[in-house]
PDB file of all heavy atoms in Angstrom:
ATOM      1  N   LYS A   1      20.833  -5.491 -11.934  1.00 96.00           N
ATOM      2  CA  LYS A   1      21.199  -4.212 -12.546  1.00 96.00           C
ATOM      3  C   LYS A   1      20.778  -4.155 -14.009  1.00 96.00           C
ATOM      4  O   LYS A   1      20.527  -3.089 -14.558  1.00 96.00           O
ATOM      5  CB  LYS A   1      22.712  -3.972 -12.407  1.00 96.00           C
ATOM      6  CG  LYS A   1      23.145  -3.722 -10.967  1.00 96.00           C
ATOM      7  CD  LYS A   1      24.553  -3.196 -10.882  1.00 96.00           C
ATOM      8  CE  LYS A   1      25.585  -4.130 -11.146  1.00 96.00           C
ATOM      9  NZ  LYS A   1      26.989  -3.654 -10.915  1.00 96.00           N
ATOM     10  N   ARG A   2      20.679  -5.305 -14.659  1.00 97.00           N
ATOM     11  CA  ARG A   2      20.273  -5.368 -16.064  1.00 97.00           C
ATOM     12  C   ARG A   2      18.764  -5.504 -16.233  1.00 97.00           C
ATOM     13  O   ARG A   2      18.256  -5.413 -17.346  1.00 97.00           O
ATOM     14  CB  ARG A   2      20.970  -6.558 -16.742  1.00 97.00           C
ATOM     15  CG  ARG A   2      22.494  -6.481 -16.749  1.00 97.00           C
ATOM     16  CD  ARG A   2      23.107  -7.603 -17.590  1.00 97.00           C
ATOM     17  NE  ARG A   2      22.808  -8.920 -17.049  1.00 97.00           N
ATOM     18  CZ  ARG A   2      23.592  -9.563 -16.181  1.00 97.00           C
ATOM     19  NH1 ARG A   2      24.715  -8.996 -15.741  1.00 97.00           N
ATOM     20  NH2 ARG A   2      23.247 -10.769 -15.746  1.00 97.00           N
ATOM     21  N   ASP A   3      18.056  -5.734 -15.110  1.00 97.00           N
ATOM     22  CA  ASP A   3      16.641  -6.062 -15.195  1.00 97.00           C
ATOM     23  C   ASP A   3      15.790  -5.170 -14.297  1.00 97.00           C
ATOM     24  O   ASP A   3      14.843  -5.631 -13.659  1.00 97.00           O
ATOM     25  CB  ASP A   3      16.422  -7.539 -14.831  1.00 97.00           C
ATOM     26  CG  ASP A   3      15.040  -8.050 -15.222  1.00 97.00           C
ATOM     27  OD1 ASP A   3      14.399  -7.434 -16.095  1.00 97.00           O
ATOM     28  OD2 ASP A   3      14.607  -9.062 -14.633  1.00 97.00           O
ATOM     29  N   GLY A   4      16.150  -3.884 -14.262  1.00 97.00           N
ATOM     30  CA  GLY A   4      15.350  -2.941 -13.490  1.00 97.00           C
ATOM     31  C   GLY A   4      15.339  -3.216 -12.009  1.00 97.00           C
ATOM     32  O   GLY A   4      14.365  -2.901 -11.316  1.00 97.00           O
ATOM     33  N   TYR A   5      16.414  -3.830 -11.501  1.00 98.00           N
ATOM     34  CA  TYR A   5      16.600  -4.154 -10.078  1.00 98.00           C
ATOM     35  C   TYR A   5      15.607  -5.191  -9.575  1.00 98.00           C
ATOM     36  O   TYR A   5      15.303  -5.273  -8.397  1.00 98.00           O
ATOM     37  CB  TYR A   5      16.575  -2.874  -9.229  1.00 98.00           C
ATOM     38  CG  TYR A   5      17.621  -1.888  -9.673  1.00 98.00           C
ATOM     39  CD1 TYR A   5      17.275  -0.829 -10.526  1.00 98.00           C
ATOM     40  CD2 TYR A   5      18.948  -2.040  -9.316  1.00 98.00           C
ATOM     41  CE1 TYR A   5      18.240   0.049 -10.980  1.00 98.00           C
ATOM     42  CE2 TYR A   5      19.924  -1.160  -9.781  1.00 98.00           C
ATOM     43  CZ  TYR A   5      19.572  -0.123 -10.605  1.00 98.00           C
ATOM     44  OH  TYR A   5      20.528   0.747 -11.076  1.00 98.00           O
ATOM     45  N   ARG A   6      15.115  -6.015 -10.493  1.00 98.00           N
ATOM     46  CA  ARG A   6      14.295  -7.168 -10.148  1.00 98.00           C
ATOM     47  C   ARG A   6      15.190  -8.366  -9.845  1.00 98.00           C
ATOM     48  O   ARG A   6      16.288  -8.505 -10.379  1.00 98.00           O
ATOM     49  CB  ARG A   6      13.343  -7.515 -11.291  1.00 98.00           C
ATOM     50  CG  ARG A   6      12.324  -6.432 -11.627  1.00 98.00           C
ATOM     51  CD  ARG A   6      11.445  -6.869 -12.802  1.00 98.00           C
ATOM     52  NE  ARG A   6      10.715  -8.101 -12.471  1.00 98.00           N
ATOM     53  CZ  ARG A   6       9.566  -8.128 -11.846  1.00 98.00           C
ATOM     54  NH1 ARG A   6       8.989  -6.989 -11.454  1.00 98.00           N
ATOM     55  NH2 ARG A   6       8.962  -9.275 -11.576  1.00 98.00           N
ATOM     56  N   VAL A   7      14.714  -9.263  -8.973  1.00 97.00           N
ATOM     57  CA  VAL A   7      15.385 -10.523  -8.688  1.00 97.00           C
ATOM     58  C   VAL A   7      14.374 -11.631  -8.935  1.00 97.00           C
ATOM     59  O   VAL A   7      13.334 -11.699  -8.266  1.00 97.00           O
ATOM     60  CB  VAL A   7      15.895 -10.585  -7.233  1.00 97.00           C
ATOM     61  CG1 VAL A   7      16.516 -11.953  -6.940  1.00 97.00           C
ATOM     62  CG2 VAL A   7      16.924  -9.489  -6.980  1.00 97.00           C
ATOM     63  N   GLU A   8      14.660 -12.474  -9.904  1.00 95.00           N
ATOM     64  CA  GLU A   8      13.699 -13.495 -10.287  1.00 95.00           C
ATOM     65  C   GLU A   8      13.612 -14.636  -9.276  1.00 95.00           C
ATOM     66  O   GLU A   8      12.547 -15.194  -9.037  1.00 95.00           O
ATOM     67  CB  GLU A   8      14.053 -14.048 -11.669  1.00 95.00           C
ATOM     68  CG  GLU A   8      13.928 -13.015 -12.786  1.00 95.00           C
ATOM     69  CD  GLU A   8      12.546 -12.363 -12.826  1.00 95.00           C
ATOM     70  OE1 GLU A   8      11.536 -13.088 -12.630  1.00 95.00           O
ATOM     71  OE2 GLU A   8      12.478 -11.130 -13.013  1.00 95.00           O
ATOM     72  N   GLU A   9      14.742 -14.997  -8.670  1.00 95.00           N
ATOM     73  CA  GLU A   9      14.729 -16.073  -7.688  1.00 95.00           C
ATOM     74  C   GLU A   9      14.082 -15.607  -6.386  1.00 95.00           C
ATOM     75  O   GLU A   9      14.186 -14.442  -6.015  1.00 95.00           O
ATOM     76  CB  GLU A   9      16.144 -16.575  -7.400  1.00 95.00           C
ATOM     77  CG  GLU A   9      16.887 -17.106  -8.628  1.00 95.00           C
ATOM     78  CD  GLU A   9      17.668 -16.030  -9.343  1.00 95.00           C
ATOM     79  OE1 GLU A   9      17.382 -14.819  -9.102  1.00 95.00           O
ATOM     80  OE2 GLU A   9      18.548 -16.388 -10.138  1.00 95.00           O
ATOM     81  N   PRO A  10      13.431 -16.508  -5.666  1.00 95.00           N
ATOM     82  CA  PRO A  10      12.822 -16.127  -4.393  1.00 95.00           C
ATOM     83  C   PRO A  10      13.882 -15.868  -3.331  1.00 95.00           C
ATOM     84  O   PRO A  10      15.055 -16.203  -3.514  1.00 95.00           O
ATOM     85  CB  PRO A  10      11.975 -17.354  -4.035  1.00 95.00           C
ATOM     86  CG  PRO A  10      12.652 -18.496  -4.713  1.00 95.00           C
ATOM     87  CD  PRO A  10      13.190 -17.930  -5.997  1.00 95.00           C
ATOM     88  N   PRO A  11      13.511 -15.274  -2.210  1.00 97.00           N
ATOM     89  CA  PRO A  11      14.483 -15.046  -1.137  1.00 97.00           C
ATOM     90  C   PRO A  11      15.091 -16.343  -0.633  1.00 97.00           C
ATOM     91  O   PRO A  11      14.408 -17.360  -0.534  1.00 97.00           O
ATOM     92  CB  PRO A  11      13.669 -14.343  -0.046  1.00 97.00           C
ATOM     93  CG  PRO A  11      12.276 -14.395  -0.463  1.00 97.00           C
ATOM     94  CD  PRO A  11      12.154 -14.786  -1.866  1.00 97.00           C
ATOM     95  N   MET A  12      16.393 -16.281  -0.311  1.00 96.00           N
ATOM     96  CA  MET A  12      17.056 -17.449   0.255  1.00 96.00           C
ATOM     97  C   MET A  12      17.115 -17.384   1.781  1.00 96.00           C
ATOM     98  O   MET A  12      17.564 -18.328   2.436  1.00 96.00           O
ATOM     99  CB  MET A  12      18.465 -17.593  -0.316  1.00 96.00           C
ATOM    100  CG  MET A  12      19.418 -16.464   0.018  1.00 96.00           C
ATOM    101  SD  MET A  12      21.117 -16.720  -0.593  1.00 96.00           S
ATOM    102  CE  MET A  12      20.912 -16.604  -2.351  1.00 96.00           C
ATOM    103  N   TYR A  13      16.691 -16.259   2.350  1.00 97.00           N
ATOM    104  CA  TYR A  13      16.705 -16.085   3.791  1.00 97.00           C
ATOM    105  C   TYR A  13      15.365 -15.501   4.212  1.00 97.00           C
ATOM    106  O   TYR A  13      14.995 -14.399   3.818  1.00 97.00           O
ATOM    107  CB  TYR A  13      17.864 -15.166   4.188  1.00 97.00           C
ATOM    108  CG  TYR A  13      18.087 -14.955   5.674  1.00 97.00           C
ATOM    109  CD1 TYR A  13      17.395 -15.672   6.638  1.00 97.00           C
ATOM    110  CD2 TYR A  13      19.012 -14.018   6.111  1.00 97.00           C
ATOM    111  CE1 TYR A  13      17.615 -15.477   7.990  1.00 97.00           C
ATOM    112  CE2 TYR A  13      19.257 -13.817   7.470  1.00 97.00           C
ATOM    113  CZ  TYR A  13      18.553 -14.539   8.394  1.00 97.00           C
ATOM    114  OH  TYR A  13      18.781 -14.344   9.745  1.00 97.00           O
ATOM    115  N   LEU A  14      14.628 -16.249   5.031  1.00 97.00           N
ATOM    116  CA  LEU A  14      13.332 -15.807   5.525  1.00 97.00           C
ATOM    117  C   LEU A  14      13.405 -15.586   7.025  1.00 97.00           C
ATOM    118  O   LEU A  14      13.829 -16.456   7.780  1.00 97.00           O
ATOM    119  CB  LEU A  14      12.255 -16.846   5.201  1.00 97.00           C
ATOM    120  CG  LEU A  14      11.991 -17.096   3.707  1.00 97.00           C
ATOM    121  CD1 LEU A  14      10.957 -18.206   3.536  1.00 97.00           C
ATOM    122  CD2 LEU A  14      11.520 -15.824   3.018  1.00 97.00           C
ATOM    123  N   ASP A  15      12.997 -14.409   7.447  1.00 97.00           N
ATOM    124  CA  ASP A  15      12.995 -14.003   8.849  1.00 97.00           C
ATOM    125  C   ASP A  15      11.540 -13.848   9.263  1.00 97.00           C
ATOM    126  O   ASP A  15      10.857 -12.913   8.859  1.00 97.00           O
ATOM    127  CB  ASP A  15      13.767 -12.687   8.988  1.00 97.00           C
ATOM    128  CG  ASP A  15      13.812 -12.150  10.407  1.00 97.00           C
ATOM    129  OD1 ASP A  15      12.982 -12.559  11.237  1.00 97.00           O
ATOM    130  OD2 ASP A  15      14.658 -11.280  10.675  1.00 97.00           O
ATOM    131  N   PHE A  16      11.070 -14.773  10.108  1.00 97.00           N
ATOM    132  CA  PHE A  16       9.659 -14.798  10.472  1.00 97.00           C
ATOM    133  C   PHE A  16       9.447 -14.442  11.935  1.00 97.00           C
ATOM    134  O   PHE A  16       9.940 -15.119  12.834  1.00 97.00           O
ATOM    135  CB  PHE A  16       9.063 -16.170  10.194  1.00 97.00           C
ATOM    136  CG  PHE A  16       8.835 -16.454   8.732  1.00 97.00           C
ATOM    137  CD1 PHE A  16       9.051 -17.710   8.210  1.00 97.00           C
ATOM    138  CD2 PHE A  16       8.392 -15.451   7.882  1.00 97.00           C
ATOM    139  CE1 PHE A  16       8.840 -17.972   6.868  1.00 97.00           C
ATOM    140  CE2 PHE A  16       8.185 -15.696   6.531  1.00 97.00           C
ATOM    141  CZ  PHE A  16       8.405 -16.966   6.021  1.00 97.00           C
ATOM    142  N   ARG A  17       8.698 -13.387  12.170  1.00 96.00           N
ATOM    143  CA  ARG A  17       8.202 -13.016  13.487  1.00 96.00           C
ATOM    144  C   ARG A  17       6.694 -13.196  13.421  1.00 96.00           C
ATOM    145  O   ARG A  17       5.964 -12.309  12.967  1.00 96.00           O
ATOM    146  CB  ARG A  17       8.597 -11.585  13.835  1.00 96.00           C
ATOM    147  CG  ARG A  17      10.145 -11.462  13.966  1.00 96.00           C
ATOM    148  CD  ARG A  17      10.716 -10.400  13.076  1.00 96.00           C
ATOM    149  NE  ARG A  17      12.146 -10.552  12.881  1.00 96.00           N
ATOM    150  CZ  ARG A  17      13.092  -9.987  13.641  1.00 96.00           C
ATOM    151  NH1 ARG A  17      12.749  -9.158  14.615  1.00 96.00           N
ATOM    152  NH2 ARG A  17      14.360 -10.188  13.388  1.00 96.00           N
ATOM    153  N   LEU A  18       6.235 -14.375  13.809  1.00 95.00           N
ATOM    154  CA  LEU A  18       4.881 -14.831  13.540  1.00 95.00           C
ATOM    155  C   LEU A  18       3.929 -14.444  14.664  1.00 95.00           C
ATOM    156  O   LEU A  18       3.357 -15.267  15.360  1.00 95.00           O
ATOM    157  CB  LEU A  18       4.877 -16.336  13.300  1.00 95.00           C
ATOM    158  CG  LEU A  18       5.789 -16.804  12.143  1.00 95.00           C
ATOM    159  CD1 LEU A  18       5.857 -18.319  12.077  1.00 95.00           C
ATOM    160  CD2 LEU A  18       5.327 -16.226  10.818  1.00 95.00           C
ATOM    161  N   GLY A  19       3.757 -13.150  14.843  1.00 91.00           N
ATOM    162  CA  GLY A  19       2.911 -12.634  15.908  1.00 91.00           C
ATOM    163  C   GLY A  19       3.713 -12.223  17.122  1.00 91.00           C
ATOM    164  O   GLY A  19       4.930 -12.425  17.206  1.00 91.00           O
ATOM    165  N   ASN A  20       3.048 -11.628  18.095  1.00 93.00           N
ATOM    166  CA  ASN A  20       3.717 -11.077  19.271  1.00 93.00           C
ATOM    167  C   ASN A  20       3.543 -11.929  20.529  1.00 93.00           C
ATOM    168  O   ASN A  20       3.803 -11.442  21.638  1.00 93.00           O
ATOM    169  CB  ASN A  20       3.229  -9.649  19.532  1.00 93.00           C
ATOM    170  CG  ASN A  20       1.796  -9.587  20.031  1.00 93.00           C
ATOM    171  OD1 ASN A  20       1.013 -10.510  19.811  1.00 93.00           O
ATOM    172  ND2 ASN A  20       1.434  -8.491  20.692  1.00 93.00           N
ATOM    173  N   MET A  21       3.122 -13.190  20.384  1.00 94.00           N
ATOM    174  CA  MET A  21       2.945 -14.036  21.562  1.00 94.00           C
ATOM    175  C   MET A  21       4.264 -14.190  22.303  1.00 94.00           C
ATOM    176  O   MET A  21       5.267 -14.633  21.761  1.00 94.00           O
ATOM    177  CB  MET A  21       2.412 -15.413  21.168  1.00 94.00           C
ATOM    178  CG  MET A  21       2.128 -16.315  22.389  1.00 94.00           C
ATOM    179  SD  MET A  21       1.562 -17.975  21.929  1.00 94.00           S
ATOM    180  CE  MET A  21       0.000 -17.545  21.159  1.00 94.00           C
ATOM    181  N   CYS A  22       4.266 -13.816  23.563  1.00 96.00           N
ATOM    182  CA  CYS A  22       5.477 -13.889  24.373  1.00 96.00           C
ATOM    183  C   CYS A  22       5.091 -14.137  25.818  1.00 96.00           C
ATOM    184  O   CYS A  22       4.010 -13.732  26.265  1.00 96.00           O
ATOM    185  CB  CYS A  22       6.288 -12.591  24.253  1.00 96.00           C
ATOM    186  SG  CYS A  22       7.955 -12.717  24.987  1.00 96.00           S
ATOM    187  N   ASN A  23       5.986 -14.790  26.549  1.00 97.00           N
ATOM    188  CA  ASN A  23       5.738 -15.085  27.953  1.00 97.00           C
ATOM    189  C   ASN A  23       6.483 -14.132  28.884  1.00 97.00           C
ATOM    190  O   ASN A  23       6.398 -14.271  30.100  1.00 97.00           O
ATOM    191  CB  ASN A  23       6.125 -16.534  28.274  1.00 97.00           C
ATOM    192  CG  ASN A  23       7.559 -16.857  27.894  1.00 97.00           C
ATOM    193  OD1 ASN A  23       8.229 -16.107  27.184  1.00 97.00           O
ATOM    194  ND2 ASN A  23       8.063 -17.993  28.350  1.00 97.00           N
ATOM    195  N   LEU A  24       7.209 -13.160  28.307  1.00 97.00           N
ATOM    196  CA  LEU A  24       7.945 -12.190  29.108  1.00 97.00           C
ATOM    197  C   LEU A  24       7.482 -10.773  28.791  1.00 97.00           C
ATOM    198  O   LEU A  24       6.747 -10.530  27.839  1.00 97.00           O
ATOM    199  CB  LEU A  24       9.452 -12.308  28.862  1.00 97.00           C
ATOM    200  CG  LEU A  24      10.106 -13.646  29.178  1.00 97.00           C
ATOM    201  CD1 LEU A  24      11.621 -13.535  29.040  1.00 97.00           C
ATOM    202  CD2 LEU A  24       9.739 -14.156  30.564  1.00 97.00           C
ATOM    203  N   LYS A  25       7.928  -9.840  29.608  1.00 95.00           N
ATOM    204  CA  LYS A  25       7.609  -8.429  29.413  1.00 95.00           C
ATOM    205  C   LYS A  25       8.859  -7.600  29.718  1.00 95.00           C
ATOM    206  O   LYS A  25       8.938  -6.920  30.736  1.00 95.00           O
ATOM    207  CB  LYS A  25       6.417  -8.012  30.285  1.00 95.00           C
ATOM    208  CG  LYS A  25       6.432  -8.543  31.709  1.00 95.00           C
ATOM    209  CD  LYS A  25       5.147  -8.235  32.448  1.00 95.00           C
ATOM    210  CE  LYS A  25       5.176  -8.795  33.867  1.00 95.00           C
ATOM    211  NZ  LYS A  25       3.912  -8.512  34.593  1.00 95.00           N
ATOM    212  N   CYS A  26       9.812  -7.676  28.810  1.00 96.00           N
ATOM    213  CA  CYS A  26      11.095  -7.006  28.981  1.00 96.00           C
ATOM    214  C   CYS A  26      10.914  -5.489  28.983  1.00 96.00           C
ATOM    215  O   CYS A  26      10.144  -4.947  28.188  1.00 96.00           O
ATOM    216  CB  CYS A  26      12.063  -7.421  27.884  1.00 96.00           C
ATOM    217  SG  CYS A  26      12.284  -9.216  27.762  1.00 96.00           S
ATOM    218  N   ARG A  27      11.618  -4.839  29.863  1.00 95.00           N
ATOM    219  CA  ARG A  27      11.456  -3.405  30.037  1.00 95.00           C
ATOM    220  C   ARG A  27      11.821  -2.600  28.798  1.00 95.00           C
ATOM    221  O   ARG A  27      11.330  -1.474  28.640  1.00 95.00           O
ATOM    222  CB  ARG A  27      12.270  -2.926  31.243  1.00 95.00           C
ATOM    223  CG  ARG A  27      11.683  -3.371  32.577  1.00 95.00           C
ATOM    224  CD  ARG A  27      12.545  -3.059  33.763  1.00 95.00           C
ATOM    225  NE  ARG A  27      11.870  -3.440  34.994  1.00 95.00           N
ATOM    226  CZ  ARG A  27      11.304  -2.606  35.871  1.00 95.00           C
ATOM    227  NH1 ARG A  27      11.373  -1.303  35.660  1.00 95.00           N
ATOM    228  NH2 ARG A  27      10.696  -3.058  36.946  1.00 95.00           N
ATOM    229  N   MET A  28      12.660  -3.116  27.924  1.00 94.00           N
ATOM    230  CA  MET A  28      13.050  -2.376  26.731  1.00 94.00           C
ATOM    231  C   MET A  28      12.291  -2.832  25.498  1.00 94.00           C
ATOM    232  O   MET A  28      12.597  -2.455  24.372  1.00 94.00           O
ATOM    233  CB  MET A  28      14.559  -2.510  26.469  1.00 94.00           C
ATOM    234  CG  MET A  28      15.037  -3.902  26.117  1.00 94.00           C
ATOM    235  SD  MET A  28      14.948  -5.032  27.535  1.00 94.00           S
ATOM    236  CE  MET A  28      15.582  -6.535  26.887  1.00 94.00           C
ATOM    237  N   CYS A  29      11.258  -3.661  25.677  1.00 92.00           N
ATOM    238  CA  CYS A  29      10.480  -4.158  24.556  1.00 92.00           C
ATOM    239  C   CYS A  29       9.229  -3.306  24.368  1.00 92.00           C
ATOM    240  O   CYS A  29       9.053  -2.263  24.994  1.00 92.00           O
ATOM    241  CB  CYS A  29      10.144  -5.631  24.776  1.00 92.00           C
ATOM    242  SG  CYS A  29       9.643  -6.509  23.276  1.00 92.00           S
ATOM    243  N   GLN A  30       8.331  -3.751  23.506  1.00 89.00           N
ATOM    244  CA  GLN A  30       7.154  -2.967  23.140  1.00 89.00           C
ATOM    245  C   GLN A  30       5.994  -3.899  22.837  1.00 89.00           C
ATOM    246  O   GLN A  30       6.172  -5.102  22.597  1.00 89.00           O
ATOM    247  CB  GLN A  30       7.473  -2.092  21.925  1.00 89.00           C
ATOM    248  CG  GLN A  30       7.985  -2.912  20.749  1.00 89.00           C
ATOM    249  CD  GLN A  30       8.471  -2.084  19.615  1.00 89.00           C
ATOM    250  OE1 GLN A  30       7.773  -1.172  19.189  1.00 89.00           O
ATOM    251  NE2 GLN A  30       9.642  -2.378  19.093  1.00 89.00           N
ATOM    252  N   PRO A  31       4.773  -3.381  22.848  1.00 90.00           N
ATOM    253  CA  PRO A  31       3.604  -4.229  22.641  1.00 90.00           C
ATOM    254  C   PRO A  31       3.611  -5.004  21.329  1.00 90.00           C
ATOM    255  O   PRO A  31       3.120  -6.125  21.270  1.00 90.00           O
ATOM    256  CB  PRO A  31       2.443  -3.239  22.679  1.00 90.00           C
ATOM    257  CG  PRO A  31       2.942  -2.101  23.495  1.00 90.00           C
ATOM    258  CD  PRO A  31       4.401  -1.995  23.163  1.00 90.00           C
ATOM    259  N   GLN A  32       4.170  -4.409  20.283  1.00 88.00           N
ATOM    260  CA  GLN A  32       4.194  -5.087  18.992  1.00 88.00           C
ATOM    261  C   GLN A  32       4.992  -6.379  19.031  1.00 88.00           C
ATOM    262  O   GLN A  32       4.776  -7.262  18.205  1.00 88.00           O
ATOM    263  CB  GLN A  32       4.781  -4.161  17.916  1.00 88.00           C
ATOM    264  CG  GLN A  32       3.939  -2.943  17.630  1.00 88.00           C
ATOM    265  CD  GLN A  32       4.329  -1.729  18.448  1.00 88.00           C
ATOM    266  OE1 GLN A  32       4.672  -1.852  19.626  1.00 88.00           O
ATOM    267  NE2 GLN A  32       4.290  -0.571  17.837  1.00 88.00           N
ATOM    268  N   ASN A  33       5.899  -6.504  19.993  1.00 91.00           N
ATOM    269  CA  ASN A  33       6.743  -7.687  20.092  1.00 91.00           C
ATOM    270  C   ASN A  33       6.450  -8.552  21.310  1.00 91.00           C
ATOM    271  O   ASN A  33       7.102  -9.584  21.488  1.00 91.00           O
ATOM    272  CB  ASN A  33       8.221  -7.282  20.111  1.00 91.00           C
ATOM    273  CG  ASN A  33       8.677  -6.673  18.795  1.00 91.00           C
ATOM    274  OD1 ASN A  33       8.244  -7.099  17.725  1.00 91.00           O
ATOM    275  ND2 ASN A  33       9.520  -5.673  18.850  1.00 91.00           N
ATOM    276  N   SER A  34       5.530  -8.157  22.126  1.00 93.00           N
ATOM    277  CA  SER A  34       5.222  -8.927  23.330  1.00 93.00           C
ATOM    278  C   SER A  34       3.767  -8.769  23.723  1.00 93.00           C
ATOM    279  O   SER A  34       3.322  -7.674  24.087  1.00 93.00           O
ATOM    280  CB  SER A  34       6.117  -8.502  24.497  1.00 93.00           C
ATOM    281  OG  SER A  34       5.677  -9.083  25.708  1.00 93.00           O
ATOM    282  N   SER A  35       3.029  -9.862  23.673  1.00 93.00           N
ATOM    283  CA  SER A  35       1.635  -9.847  24.100  1.00 93.00           C
ATOM    284  C   SER A  35       1.510  -9.503  25.581  1.00 93.00           C
ATOM    285  O   SER A  35       0.532  -8.877  25.994  1.00 93.00           O
ATOM    286  CB  SER A  35       0.989 -11.204  23.818  1.00 93.00           C
ATOM    287  OG  SER A  35       1.746 -12.262  24.417  1.00 93.00           O
ATOM    288  N   GLN A  36       2.506  -9.899  26.387  1.00 94.00           N
ATOM    289  CA  GLN A  36       2.460  -9.612  27.816  1.00 94.00           C
ATOM    290  C   GLN A  36       2.627  -8.117  28.090  1.00 94.00           C
ATOM    291  O   GLN A  36       1.968  -7.567  28.979  1.00 94.00           O
ATOM    292  CB  GLN A  36       3.539 -10.407  28.552  1.00 94.00           C
ATOM    293  CG  GLN A  36       3.305 -11.908  28.561  1.00 94.00           C
ATOM    294  CD  GLN A  36       1.996 -12.282  29.223  1.00 94.00           C
ATOM    295  OE1 GLN A  36       1.663 -11.784  30.291  1.00 94.00           O
ATOM    296  NE2 GLN A  36       1.234 -13.158  28.571  1.00 94.00           N
ATOM    297  N   ILE A  37       3.513  -7.465  27.337  1.00 92.00           N
ATOM    298  CA  ILE A  37       3.673  -6.022  27.497  1.00 92.00           C
ATOM    299  C   ILE A  37       2.397  -5.307  27.080  1.00 92.00           C
ATOM    300  O   ILE A  37       1.957  -4.360  27.727  1.00 92.00           O
ATOM    301  CB  ILE A  37       4.872  -5.503  26.688  1.00 92.00           C
ATOM    302  CG1 ILE A  37       6.160  -5.949  27.355  1.00 92.00           C
ATOM    303  CG2 ILE A  37       4.850  -3.972  26.591  1.00 92.00           C
ATOM    304  CD1 ILE A  37       7.385  -5.455  26.692  1.00 92.00           C
ATOM    305  N   ASN A  38       1.803  -5.758  25.990  1.00 91.00           N
ATOM    306  CA  ASN A  38       0.568  -5.122  25.543  1.00 91.00           C
ATOM    307  C   ASN A  38      -0.508  -5.214  26.625  1.00 91.00           C
ATOM    308  O   ASN A  38      -1.188  -4.223  26.918  1.00 91.00           O
ATOM    309  CB  ASN A  38       0.075  -5.772  24.250  1.00 91.00           C
ATOM    310  CG  ASN A  38      -0.992  -4.947  23.570  1.00 91.00           C
ATOM    311  OD1 ASN A  38      -0.762  -3.808  23.181  1.00 91.00           O
ATOM    312  ND2 ASN A  38      -2.184  -5.503  23.439  1.00 91.00           N
ATOM    313  N   LYS A  39      -0.663  -6.380  27.237  1.00 92.00           N
ATOM    314  CA  LYS A  39      -1.638  -6.550  28.312  1.00 92.00           C
ATOM    315  C   LYS A  39      -1.318  -5.622  29.481  1.00 92.00           C
ATOM    316  O   LYS A  39      -2.213  -5.006  30.064  1.00 92.00           O
ATOM    317  CB  LYS A  39      -1.653  -8.002  28.784  1.00 92.00           C
ATOM    318  CG  LYS A  39      -2.237  -8.985  27.785  1.00 92.00           C
ATOM    319  CD  LYS A  39      -2.161 -10.410  28.330  1.00 92.00           C
ATOM    320  CE  LYS A  39      -2.696 -11.416  27.316  1.00 92.00           C
ATOM    321  NZ  LYS A  39      -2.592 -12.820  27.819  1.00 92.00           N
ATOM    322  N   GLU A  40      -0.036  -5.536  29.810  1.00 93.00           N
ATOM    323  CA  GLU A  40       0.373  -4.704  30.933  1.00 93.00           C
ATOM    324  C   GLU A  40       0.095  -3.230  30.657  1.00 93.00           C
ATOM    325  O   GLU A  40      -0.418  -2.514  31.520  1.00 93.00           O
ATOM    326  CB  GLU A  40       1.854  -4.912  31.233  1.00 93.00           C
ATOM    327  CG  GLU A  40       2.360  -4.125  32.438  1.00 93.00           C
ATOM    328  CD  GLU A  40       3.771  -4.503  32.813  1.00 93.00           C
ATOM    329  OE1 GLU A  40       4.685  -4.272  31.998  1.00 93.00           O
ATOM    330  OE2 GLU A  40       3.978  -5.030  33.919  1.00 93.00           O
ATOM    331  N   TYR A  41       0.441  -2.771  29.468  1.00 91.00           N
ATOM    332  CA  TYR A  41       0.217  -1.373  29.125  1.00 91.00           C
ATOM    333  C   TYR A  41      -1.271  -1.024  29.113  1.00 91.00           C
ATOM    334  O   TYR A  41      -1.681   0.051  29.568  1.00 91.00           O
ATOM    335  CB  TYR A  41       0.837  -1.060  27.764  1.00 91.00           C
ATOM    336  CG  TYR A  41       2.338  -0.873  27.778  1.00 91.00           C
ATOM    337  CD1 TYR A  41       3.087  -1.100  28.918  1.00 91.00           C
ATOM    338  CD2 TYR A  41       3.009  -0.466  26.632  1.00 91.00           C
ATOM    339  CE1 TYR A  41       4.457  -0.930  28.927  1.00 91.00           C
ATOM    340  CE2 TYR A  41       4.391  -0.289  26.621  1.00 91.00           C
ATOM    341  CZ  TYR A  41       5.105  -0.524  27.758  1.00 91.00           C
ATOM    342  OH  TYR A  41       6.463  -0.355  27.748  1.00 91.00           O
ATOM    343  N   VAL A  42      -2.093  -1.925  28.588  1.00 91.00           N
ATOM    344  CA  VAL A  42      -3.535  -1.701  28.587  1.00 91.00           C
ATOM    345  C   VAL A  42      -4.056  -1.592  30.022  1.00 91.00           C
ATOM    346  O   VAL A  42      -4.869  -0.719  30.336  1.00 91.00           O
ATOM    347  CB  VAL A  42      -4.260  -2.826  27.826  1.00 91.00           C
ATOM    348  CG1 VAL A  42      -5.767  -2.741  28.042  1.00 91.00           C
ATOM    349  CG2 VAL A  42      -3.936  -2.762  26.338  1.00 91.00           C
TER     350      VAL A  42
END
């Protein structure tokens, strides 16, 4: 609040979704989250 809403320290929590490689094709999922769904939709 004193520094223009900057945070000097790096994030303490990292959430990584490192690509859409998946072995399932859940009916409520989407191509961005599942390589199998993308193949199926194509």
